[in-house]
Amino acid sequence: MSIVLSSCAINRKVSYDNLKMDLSAVKAESLGVALLDHRPSVVKGRRKPSLTGYMRSCAGIPYPMSTTTGCNFIDEIAINMTESLNRSNTKATKVSTNFKQDENTVKQNLFNSESEKKIFIVFRELHTDGYGIQFLYYDFDVSVFDNSNKTIAFKQFHEKRKLGGNAAITNGRYKEYMPKAIVKLFEDVLNDTAILDALNN
């Protein structure tokens, strides 16, 4: 996973390709994974699904960042998550989603996957922004279902995390801390006590 950053009219690349999620605490034998991009700016067509956030110019003008592949940012996270789970001996199956789909449609597709457990994440917000100091903004719901498709865990995640940089040194080592922040966020989500308990029991 990688993104393109634009700041002061200069394109910059930040790669996620060498960063892998540590999801070894998840012990479910099989897991269906569905991540749905319902960020308003994407759903309303103001931004493409490849949006990852913004970098500010020297004058504070926001420039959109996007995945270098041009693919849906949320979908790239789902791929990373699924591959990380498979490396940890959980047979994970990614369910394809599209930002134009409603939650019930995606949920039904998830239920049709032959997995012991299912995890469904619906995003209302996920992007980086900041002038000098960079922040990660996120707002999403996580649902976990058992093999009979009953909800066994539900939790909302809504926060602003400081990533790095400051007004004096601008964005600093953003090529390191921005990709790591995305990976850390989803490690935290799948290692959350309530979510992990539902996945493992």
Side-chain angles (χ1 to χ4, degrees), residues 26 28 30-34 81 107 110-111 115-122 141-157 189-201:
V26 177
S30 60
L31 182 64
V33 177
M81 185 181 296
K107 194 180 295 184
L110 179 62
F111 290 164
S115 301
E116 176 194 9
K117 301 285 179 66
K118 293 97 174 175
I119 188 167
F120 182 33
I121 307 179
V122 182
D141 298 337
V142 179
S143 300
V144 180
F145 307 95
D146 63 15
N147 57 7
S148 63
N149 300 327
K150 176 183 176 182
T151 303
I152 53 176
F154 175 82
K155 189 165 184 177
Q156 295 178 313
F157 293 83
V189 169
L190 268 73
N191 283 282
D192 174 84
T193 301
I195 301 301
L196 191 61
D197 184 66
L199 291 172
N200 289 349
N201 298 300

Side-chain angles (χ1 to χ4, degrees), residues 126-145:
L126 183 68
H127 70 275
T128 56
D129 197 2
Y131 184 69
I133 299 172
Q134 283 290 310
F135 294 92
L136 172 63
Y137 298 85
Y138 58 89
D139 183 7
F140 53 84
D141 298 337
V142 179
S143 300
V144 180
F145 307 95

